[in-house]
Amino acid sequence: MSEFGTGPVPVEPEADASALGGDVDEDSEADVDGDFDFDLDLDLDDYGSDAPEESVPSQDGLGPATADSDIPTVDELRLFDRAPERNRLLYVRTGLEELAKLESLHLGTAFVGTDLSFDTPEDLADRLGVLPPGYLRDQNIARRMKLTFSREDAADALKRAREDSNSSSLWPDAHYVGELHPVVEWITDKVLVHLGRRQAQVLQVDPRCAPTPVVLTQGVWSNAEGRPTLVAWLAVDRLGEPDPRVRELTPELLAELGIGPDMPDHYSSGDLEDLRPLVPKAVAETRRTLVGLREIADRRSTPAPRVREAGRQLATGTAPGLHPSTRDDAADCLAEAAARLRTSGDPMVRVLAVLEPGA
């Protein structure tokens, strides 16, 4: 769920109980027997594609394999709605409502269908340098933002701006909100700042949904370029048993655990000391799962056939039109580039939340 634009951060031990963290530096073996799927070779520009989605049937958390892979896949994890644009709209609207409560932030917000407008706060205006200067100037975005969550409406606005002789600007009057739009990241950061470092929420859920504590984690492993090659969203429970259970955090599992926008917003104070020891165990299980998936991730990041053929020609001296010294340099560069695509270093683990059975 790429609404979270701040990126993964390491979770360290001895976090506060109200927001639990865990050690990400424990090593463990790769023999994993968990119930999970995972995302490989993540492209943040494409994460959360707005293409029409088909529902993917799942059983025990696993979905069908893709046509060119034996790796099972699941739908992307979206909390508000399975449709990307609708999910993004509800996320932004809910975020603005929460900020009005947390910071008394009143922006004259107006929602009409899939369109949104609000007064631009100063700290958001500071982030808008990534948008075209002409658009910022012509539409006075630093004063009030006009956004749309519909690709069709955005295309219509652009067409009007380009073709209407009465238009005062070539820029549309409504800007489309994609997955990594500055407004989405601004809302995420504004809400997350209310959590301290190395902290995560403790959520109380119906004990019929989660009779024992469940730790929700995110694991990310990257290559030498800093691009994620493996991302896993996991739910770890049965942490008091010798073999904890690890499951992929799917929309179906979220619903099973009672997690969603309409869940009860209440919390009965309890003793969090019993939850603290569970966090390092959950982090260790997450790391163990990631280690077990790394070999598959590396297989998926193997260079494409044309790149492999070019490497073979360079290595065997059959590449046409190259001087031997140039050929050797090209072979070295290609080998280095291929190596940098492979998973390297240590994974980063974030504790997202701990689910505690309510009274």
Side-chain angles (χ1 to χ4, degrees):
M1 185 166 57
S2 59
E3 275 75 3
F4 295 92
T6 54
V9 296
V11 180
E12 301 178 14
E14 300 179 358
D16 293 340
S18 63
L20 304 164
D23 191 352
V24 298
D25 293 324
E26 297 181 28
D27 293 323
S28 50
E29 297 300 321
D31 183 17
V32 181
D33 185 18
D35 179 12
F36 51 82
D37 295 322
F38 42 90
D39 296 320
L40 295 171
D41 197 16
L42 179 71
D43 186 341
L44 289 179
D45 292 332
D46 296 330
Y47 194 31
S49 169
D50 291 311
E53 293 185 339
E54 298 179 0
S55 89
V56 179
S58 62
Q59 180 177 2
D60 297 332
L62 296 177
T66 60
D68 59 351
S69 169
D70 59 354
I71 299 174
T73 60
V74 297
D75 283 344
E76 296 211 24
L77 189 61
R78 297 187 175 98
L79 184 63
F80 293 92
D81 197 284
R82 296 184 81 107
E85 291 180 347
R86 177 69 177 167
N87 182 75
R88 204 147 52 238
L89 184 152
L90 294 175
Y91 175 82
V92 169
R93 184 168 71 185
T94 302
L96 291 174
E97 291 172 352
E98 288 299 311
L99 289 175
K101 300 174 187 176
L102 293 171
E103 301 185 6
S104 298
L105 192 64
H106 302 291
L107 304 174
T109 303
F111 269 99
V112 180
T114 59
D115 296 339
L116 161 68
S117 63
F118 61 91
D119 297 335
T120 309
E122 184 176 351
D123 58 342
L124 174 56
D126 292 340
R127 296 172 177 242
L128 300 181
V130 297
L131 299 179
Y135 170 66
L136 296 175
R137 180 185 62 253
D138 292 356
Q139 300 299 338
N140 201 15
I141 301 303
R143 187 185 68 81
R144 187 169 178 85
M145 302 205 76
K146 296 179 182 179
L147 307 172
T148 181
F149 294 84
S150 166
R151 283 188 182 274
E152 291 77 11
D153 290 351
D156 289 343
L158 179 59
K159 184 177 181 180
R160 288 195 305 270
R162 297 291 173 88
E163 298 180 1
D164 189 347
S165 59
N166 296 322
S167 175
S168 61
S169 172
L170 293 177
W171 293 100
D173 57 0
H175 193 258
Y176 178 70
V177 181
E179 289 282 349
L180 299 181
H181 192 279
V183 169
V184 175
E185 298 194 345
W186 170 75
I187 289 176
T188 300
D189 292 343
K190 292 283 282 186
V191 173
L192 288 180
V193 77
H194 291 274
L195 287 175
R197 285 179 56 83
R198 298 162 54 191
Q199 293 186 344
Q201 294 285 351
V202 175
L203 307 177
Q204 285 186 341
V205 298
D206 190 324
R208 293 172 297 181
C209 299
T212 61
V214 182
V215 181
L216 308 183
T217 64
Q218 179 201 51
V220 179
W221 218 327
S222 301
N223 58 26
E225 298 287 341
R227 294 181 63 84
T229 56
L230 172 61
V231 179
W233 303 77
L234 305 174
V236 188
D237 63 354
R238 300 178 184 174
L239 288 160
E241 301 179 12
D243 297 313
R245 179 172 61 172
V246 180
R247 293 177 288 174
E248 172 69 12
L249 192 57
T250 63
E252 292 77 16
L253 182 55
L254 280 174
E256 178 184 326
L257 295 172
I259 300 299
D262 299 324
M263 66 183 296
D265 186 15
H266 64 78
Y267 184 82
S268 301
S269 298
D271 186 2
L272 299 176
E273 291 301 318
D274 292 339
L275 300 179
R276 277 199 177 99
L278 303 181
V279 173
K281 295 179 182 178
V283 170
E285 288 300 316
T286 299
R287 287 179 57 86
R288 196 165 75 94
T289 299
L290 291 172
V291 170
L293 298 174
R294 177 174 177 173
E295 181 180 348
I296 301 176
D298 283 342
R299 264 204 318 269
R300 287 290 302 274
S301 63
T302 299
R306 291 180 62 186
V307 177
R308 291 199 299 270
E309 174 60 19
R312 186 194 66 77
Q313 292 181 359
L314 290 169
T316 59
T318 58
L322 289 179
H323 187 275
S325 62
T326 303
R327 183 188 63 217
D328 293 342
D329 290 342
D332 291 342
C333 289
L334 188 61
E336 180 181 351
R340 291 181 66 82
L341 293 177
R342 302 182 71 82
T343 305
S344 63
D346 295 321
M348 293 190 292
V349 177
R350 168 188 284 166
V351 175
L352 304 173
V354 177
L355 308 186
E356 177 187 35

